[in-house]
C-alpha cells in the first residue's frame, strides 16, 4: 500500500507525521514531487489562513515578493480529478520543506495513517517546481535533480 501512495503527484495526508528534528508530530500534508526505488522527493505544505507577511493571496499559483517565492492555493480551489480542496488558504513556501527522503522512513507509518487526497496533474507539479526553483533556499545538492524532474513533466 505504501508503494502505491508514494507516487509522483500524489497529495497525501499523514496523520501523526513525525518531524525529522524529533520535535513532535502532527497531521501533515505532503506532495510527492518524484520518487525512485530508494528516495522520494517531497514537499511539506503549510495550510494556514494566517497571512502574517501580508502577501498577496488573490491569485492561484506562484508569486514572488521581494526575494520570497511562494505558491498560493486559495481555499476551495479544486486541485485535480478527485476535486480535493483545502479548507483554508494554503501557502507553500520553499524553505526547509523540500526533502529527499529515504522511502524506508515512511515504514514507521501504518497504512491507516496515510491518505491519498489527490492525484495532482503534471501541469500543477511543473508550475510548483518552477516556483520552487526560484527559491534561494533549495539545497544545491538536489537542485539539479529537481530541474530534471521539472523538465521531464
Amino acid at each position: 500500500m505504501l508503494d502505491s501512495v508514494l507516487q509522483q503527484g500524489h497529495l497525501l495526508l499523514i496523520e501523526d507525521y513525525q518531524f525529522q528534528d524529533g520535535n513532535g508530530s502532527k497531521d501533515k500534508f505532503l506532495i510527492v514531487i518524484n520518487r525512485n526505488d530508494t528516495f522520494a522527493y517531497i514537499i511539506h505544505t503549510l495550510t494556514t489562513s494566517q497571512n502574517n507577511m501580508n502577501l498577496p493571496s488573490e491569485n492561484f499559483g506562484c508569486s514572488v515578493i521581494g526575494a520570497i517565492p511562494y505558491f498560493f492555493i486559495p481555499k476551495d480551489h479544486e486541485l485535480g480529478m478527485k476535486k480535493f480542496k483545502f479548507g483554508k488558504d494554503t501557502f507553500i513556501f520553499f524553505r526547509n520543506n523540500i526533502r529527499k527522503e529515504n522511502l524506508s522512513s515512511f515504514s514507521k507509518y501504518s497504512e491507516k495513517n496515510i491518505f491519498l487526497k489527490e492525484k495532482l496533474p503534471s501541469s500543477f507539479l511543473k508550475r510548483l517546481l518552477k516556483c520552487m526553483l526560484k527559491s534561494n533556499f533549495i539545497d544545491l545538492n538536489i537542485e539539479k535533480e529537481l530541474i530534471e524532474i521539472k523538465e521531464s513533466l
Side-chain angles (χ1 to χ4, degrees):
M1 193 270 186
L2 183 61
D3 191 56
S4 66
V5 295
L6 282 173
Q7 294 295 323
Q8 182 177 45
H10 284 187
L11 172 65
L12 306 175
L13 176 63
I14 299 181
E15 292 180 339
D16 295 322
Y17 179 82
Q18 308 284 316
F19 292 104
Q20 286 183 332
D21 61 8
N23 288 332
S25 67
K26 72 182 243 181
D27 294 353
K28 196 74 174 157
F29 283 101
L30 302 176
I31 297 173
V32 181
I33 301 297
N34 199 358
R35 67 159 283 187
N36 59 30
D37 292 337
T38 310
F39 295 99
Y41 290 90
I42 62 168
I43 184 165
H44 301 246
T45 63
L46 172 61
T47 307
T48 180
S49 58
Q50 305 297 315
N51 188 357
N52 297 330
M53 296 170 40
N54 293 320
L55 296 170
S57 58
E58 297 83 35
N59 298 321
F60 170 78
C62 188
S63 294
V64 180
I65 302 298
I68 303 170
Y70 65 96
F71 200 92
F72 176 69
I73 304 168
K75 69 177 182 172
D76 298 327
H77 181 91
E78 292 181 358
L79 292 176
M81 290 177 46
K82 290 185 169 193
K83 301 186 184 294
F84 175 81
K85 302 179 268 190
F86 286 107
K88 295 181 179 182
D89 288 345
T90 300
F91 293 85
I92 304 174
F93 296 95
F94 305 104
R95 183 177 189 158
N96 301 324
N97 62 344
I98 302 159
R99 301 238 195 310
K100 181 178 181 180
E101 201 160 318
N102 196 308
L103 293 178
S104 64
S105 69
F106 290 95
S107 64
K108 62 187 167 197
Y109 301 107
S110 165
E111 292 180 10
K112 64 181 182 177
N113 292 72
I114 302 177
F115 302 93
L116 173 61
K117 293 297 188 175
E118 186 63 82
K119 170 68 172 116
L120 300 166
S122 294
S123 58
F124 176 91
L125 282 181
K126 193 168 194 167
R127 287 179 71 181
L128 186 65
L129 279 159
K130 189 175 180 181
C131 190
M132 182 188 309
L133 290 164
K134 294 178 182 182
S135 174
N136 293 329
F137 297 101
I138 300 293
D139 182 333
L140 295 177
N141 294 324
I142 65 169
E143 182 178 24
K144 181 181 176 188
E145 293 172 78
L146 293 173
I147 290 168
E148 290 173 4
I149 294 166
K150 178 183 71 82
E151 291 173 354
S152 73
L153 295 171

